[in-house]
């Protein structure tokens, strides 16, 4: 028995002598032993098929053999069963989700859902079996004819007349008989069989199209092209090129599915998870912390560095409002950004005679805005001004030129004039307190640097020596490297070059995103030096040309450890993570959700003591690297939306900023700190996303439903016993979950408007604040904190002593 669920386009199904037209979203059942034929319009329709073996169901003490069902959601007479059809679609979607992600106990859950489906069929769709009803299986002659055609279709001599002779039939009678039973002519069915069998040769071999046509029974390539175009809507060569690319880019390697669009349509039927999980683990996990135990110093590296995407944004008033708000509520030390030499700032210019001149007016305003906000610049030196670039290669929508300079002496003169200008304007002591990071991910060759490796080393050396000749105490480092392709030999060669040329970096910077190489990928990656530049599809290019996946829940921490370990030979141990995030895709819808709050706290608590600074990427959704449709919650990197609404990620950074200076105790899901006579307890409940999402397949993510990529778990019951807490205290509890502090979930609750007006923004800003409770108590010994955390919830308890 088969249940069909049409995911895209229209299909026609012929069962016995009846024909049914189904549209996208329809479900249909084909009973056991019913011979059926399916045709699609257009030719690339996709159908989810669940086959149910009656023997398997019989093993669960359910008898469906001999029963007959009629399930057809396109039948208007069954409109009263609409809720049942929706239940069936939701169940099919859930079963497919379990198949693809293979979460714990998925086989048991699939069996449970299968039983639910069978119960729905028996309750709502069973029909009586008429003994005189025509059954196409009884016509053994037709089955024999179809089997003969299937076995001999590659024979070029098979024809209607030949088959009629084999079965002792009149050719005219066979033609009418076949068309009435199957629904299409003998010739079309024969062509379809030949085409179907030939497809594997088109994809998996290098044979010419003419060779394939003759091998599979077509008289010539012209006839093959005609059938191919008619059935599949493309030429054989177009199909070969498309499907070969699909095989090369199939990162998930799940079944043979490649259509994220169809899966996305399927998973919409799962429905949004409403509210908070009411089921709580029965036994609380208990932690005992002694305030008089040994403490360690907290390294506030997470408060050192704030990041944005593009320097000219610092000239925008709306950006400055957000920056100043952040600095009021959780001040950072430094601000990092791309594009200090972008053409929009007009620093480097050339006259008609080829001579160059400089204009620092916009840059002065930019730096003034930074300093007046109570933060210092962490200046990334790059990218190349357009008029100074050797080649037209660029990256990002705002066009950062990534080529070497056309003349090195012009570049070094730009650096000299730039450094002298900022020193004369702000003073040498102030500039010495800044950081100058050279370039951004140059080892991702073909994307962020289009020169050779040797050219970059010389380029860096010239810049480094130029700055140091002006003042040796100015901090120069870099170079914001990342390991998209594990090209660590790049960095090893640079270290050897630096040692030979007397270069010692003042600090070392790198980027960490929670990605790793898929060891099970079945295709060869393209060498980075063969990658093409794209200003709009950079992320998709990187994913498509590598074997990247999102790593497991320990991946980010393991990567940080590995990168630092590989740099063990460096004299200076001043490491800065100048970009980090769960994903390098600025369209990942999880960025707006509570997931990011738990991810940020988990990542910071595991790594804050390893580096000097951690720059979460980024502070705001005012971000223009890729041209895209930007509704309010589009998956941007920012702690805040483009119009200043706080996301859960913002609260994670705020909660971290409230921690004390000493660590009293720390575990896998909490930290207890001290500052003076006050204590801070920070908790989080992290759940890692599933395999499908981690393969960069976002089909389970929808604008208003972003929970399906997580296994549904019970709320967590936590208990803390704080020993030796004496005196009277006021406890401020702040918490963020789907119902408190999540602006995204509040946006969904008001109807998820793509265009939002001022009153809507004001409302969401008020709903974006964390939940808040205040209690007072007095104790002379142990104090117990009990709490329940939802998935991805974060909670902060601040114990302030009262006198």
């Amino acid at each position: 028995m088969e249940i069909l669920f049409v995911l895209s386009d229209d299909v026609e199904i012929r069962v016995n002598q009846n024909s049914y037209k189904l549209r996208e979203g329809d479900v249909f059942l084909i009973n056991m032993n019913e011979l059926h034929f399916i045709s699609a319009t257009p030719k690339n329709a996709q159908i989810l098929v669940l086959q149910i073996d009656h023997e398997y169901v019989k093993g669960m003490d359910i008898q469906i053999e001999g029963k007959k069902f009629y399930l057809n959601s396109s039948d208007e007479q069954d409109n009263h069963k609409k809720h049942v059809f929706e239940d069936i679609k939701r169940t099919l979607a859930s079963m497919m989700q379990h198949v693809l992600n293979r979460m714990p106990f998925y086989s048991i859950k699939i069996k449970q859902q299968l039983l639910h489906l069978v119960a729905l069929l028996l309750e709502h769709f069973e029909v009586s079996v008429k003994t005189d009803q025509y059954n196409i299986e009884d016509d053994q002659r037709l089955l024999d004819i179809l089997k003969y055609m299937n076995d001999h279709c590659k024979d070029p001599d098979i024809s209607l007349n030949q088959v009629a002779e084999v079965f002792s039939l009149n050719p005219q009678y066979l033609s009418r008989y076949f068309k009435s039973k199957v629904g299409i002519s003998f010739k079309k069915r024969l062509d379809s069989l030949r085409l179907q069998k030939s497809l594997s040769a088109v994809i998996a071999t290098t044979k010419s199209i003419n060779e394939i046509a003759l091998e599979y029974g077509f008289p010539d390539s012209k006839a093959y092209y005609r059938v191919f175009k008619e059935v599949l809507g493309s030429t054989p060569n177009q199909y070969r090129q498309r499907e070969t690319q699909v095989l090369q880019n199939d990162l998930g390697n799940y079944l043979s599915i490649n259509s994220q669009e169809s899966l996305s349509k399927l998973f919409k039927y799962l429905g949004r998870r409403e509210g908070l999980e009411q089921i709580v683990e029965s036994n609380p996990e208990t932690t005992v912390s002694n305030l008089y135990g040994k403490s360690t110093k907290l390294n506030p590296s997470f408060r050192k560095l704030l990041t944005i995407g593009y320097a000219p944004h610092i000239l925008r008033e709306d950006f400055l409002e957000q920056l100043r708000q952040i600095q009021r509520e959780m001040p950072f030390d430094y601000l990092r950004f791309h594009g200090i030499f972008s053409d929009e700032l007009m620093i480097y210019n050339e006259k008609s005679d080829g001579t160059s001149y400089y204009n620092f007016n916009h840059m002065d305003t930019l730096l003034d805005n930074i300093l007046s906000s109570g933060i210092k610049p962490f200046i990334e030196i790059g990218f190349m001004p357009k008029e100074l670039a050797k080649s037209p290669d660029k990256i990002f929508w705002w066009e950062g030129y990534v080529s070497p300079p056309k003349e090195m002496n012009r570049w070094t003169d730009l650096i000299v004039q730039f450094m002298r200008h900022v020193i004369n304007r702000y003073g040498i002591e102030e500039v010495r307190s800044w950081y100058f990071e050279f370039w951004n991910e140059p080892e991702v060759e073909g994307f962020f640097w289009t020169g050779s490796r040797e050219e970059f080393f010389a380029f860096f050396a010239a810049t480094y020596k130029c700055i140091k000749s002006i003042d040796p105490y100015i901090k120069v480092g870099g170079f914001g490297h990342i390991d998209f392709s594990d090209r660590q030999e790049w960095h090893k060669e640079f270290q050897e070059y630096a040692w030979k040329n007397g270069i010692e970096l003042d600090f070392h910077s790198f980027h960490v995103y929670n990605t790793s190489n898929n060891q099970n990928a079945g295709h060869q990656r393209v060498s980075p030096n063969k990658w093409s530049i794209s200003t709009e599809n950079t992320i998709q290019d990187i994913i498509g040309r590598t074997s990247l996946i999102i790593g497991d829940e320990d991946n980010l921490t393991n990567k940080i450890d590995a990168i630092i370990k590989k740099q063990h030979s460096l004299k200076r141990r001043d490491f800065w993570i100048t970009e980090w995030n769960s994903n390098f895709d600025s369209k990942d819808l999880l960025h707006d959700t509570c997931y990011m709050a738990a991810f940020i706290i988990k990542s910071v608590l595991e790594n804050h003591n390893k580096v000097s600074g951690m720059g979460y990427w980024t502070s705001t959704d005012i971000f223009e690297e890729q041209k895209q449709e930007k509704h309010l919650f589009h998956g941007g990197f920012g702690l805040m939306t483009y119009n200043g609404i706080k996301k859960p990620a913002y609260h994670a950074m705020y909660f971290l900023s409230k921690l004390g200076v000493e660590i009293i105790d720390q575990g896998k899901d909490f930290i207890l700190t001290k500052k003076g006579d006050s204590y801070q307890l920070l908790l989080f409940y992290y759940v890692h996303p599933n395999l499908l999402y981690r393969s960069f397949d976002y089909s389970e993510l929808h604008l208003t439903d972003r929970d399906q990529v997580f296994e549904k778990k019970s709320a967590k019951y936590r208990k803390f016993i704080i020993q030796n807490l004496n005196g009277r205290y006021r406890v401020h509890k702040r918490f963020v979950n789907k119902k408190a502090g999540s602006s995204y979930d509040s946006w969904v609750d008001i109807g998820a408007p793509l265009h939002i007006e001022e009153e809507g923004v004001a409302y969401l800003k008020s709903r974006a604040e964390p939940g808040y409770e205040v209690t007072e108590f007095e104790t002379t010994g142990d104090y117990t904190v009990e709490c329940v955390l939802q998935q991805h919830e974060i909670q902060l308890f601040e114990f302030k002593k009262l006198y």
Side-chain angles (χ1 to χ4, degrees), residues 678-693:
S678 297
Y679 299 93
Q680 303 80 32
L681 175 63
L682 177 58
L683 315 169
F684 64 94
Y685 181 10
Y686 179 79
V687 178
H688 203 56
N690 64 27
L691 181 61
L692 195 60
Y693 162 83

Side-chain angles (χ1 to χ4, degrees), residues 32-47:
M32 291 176 284
N33 302 321
E34 285 184 334
L35 191 59
H36 55 280
F37 305 92
I38 302 176
S39 60
T41 307
K43 310 303 179 183
N44 59 346
Q46 296 200 18
I47 307 172

Side-chain angles (χ1 to χ4, degrees), residues 194-204 216 224 228 232 239:
R194 287 169 168 169
L195 177 65
Q196 181 181 349
K197 292 180 181 292
S198 74
L199 293 181
S200 60
V202 175
I203 299 172
Y216 287 88
Y224 187 51
F228 215 104
L232 294 176
Y239 181 84

Side-chain angles (χ1 to χ4, degrees), residues 11-45:
V11 299
E12 183 175 350
I13 299 178
R14 185 176 179 85
V15 181
N16 297 337
Q17 294 180 328
N18 299 315
S19 182
Y20 305 91
K21 291 185 181 294
L22 304 180
R23 300 185 182 278
E24 182 179 305
D26 280 334
V27 287
F28 187 88
L29 183 142
I30 298 170
N31 287 285
M32 291 176 284
N33 302 321
E34 285 184 334
L35 191 59
H36 55 280
F37 305 92
I38 302 176
S39 60
T41 307
K43 310 303 179 183
N44 59 346

Side-chain angles (χ1 to χ4, degrees), residues 170-230:
N170 178 280
Q172 288 76 21
Y173 170 80
L174 175 60
S175 177
R176 293 192 301 272
Y177 170 79
F178 195 93
K179 179 72 179 289
S180 67
K181 303 298 185 187
V182 179
I184 58 174
S185 69
F186 177 93
K187 178 70 165 56
K188 280 186 177 295
R189 180 62 180 171
L190 180 61
D191 286 343
S192 178
L193 285 170
R194 287 169 168 169
L195 177 65
Q196 181 181 349
K197 292 180 181 292
S198 74
L199 293 181
S200 60
V202 175
I203 299 172
T205 74
T206 58
K207 294 179 181 179
S208 70
I209 300 303
N210 189 57
E211 287 178 295
I212 295 172
L214 297 176
E215 179 181 344
Y216 287 88
F218 290 92
D220 50 44
S221 59
K222 184 177 180 180
Y224 187 51
Y225 270 84
R226 176 184 55 76
V227 174
F228 215 104
K229 190 80 173 176
E230 179 181 324

Side-chain angles (χ1 to χ4, degrees), residues 286 718-722 725 779 782-786 799:
T286 303
R718 284 295 265 125
K719 185 176 181 180
F720 291 87
I721 300 174
I722 303 175
L725 185 66
T779 180
D782 296 351
Y783 180 76
T784 300
V785 176
E786 295 182 88
F799 298 82

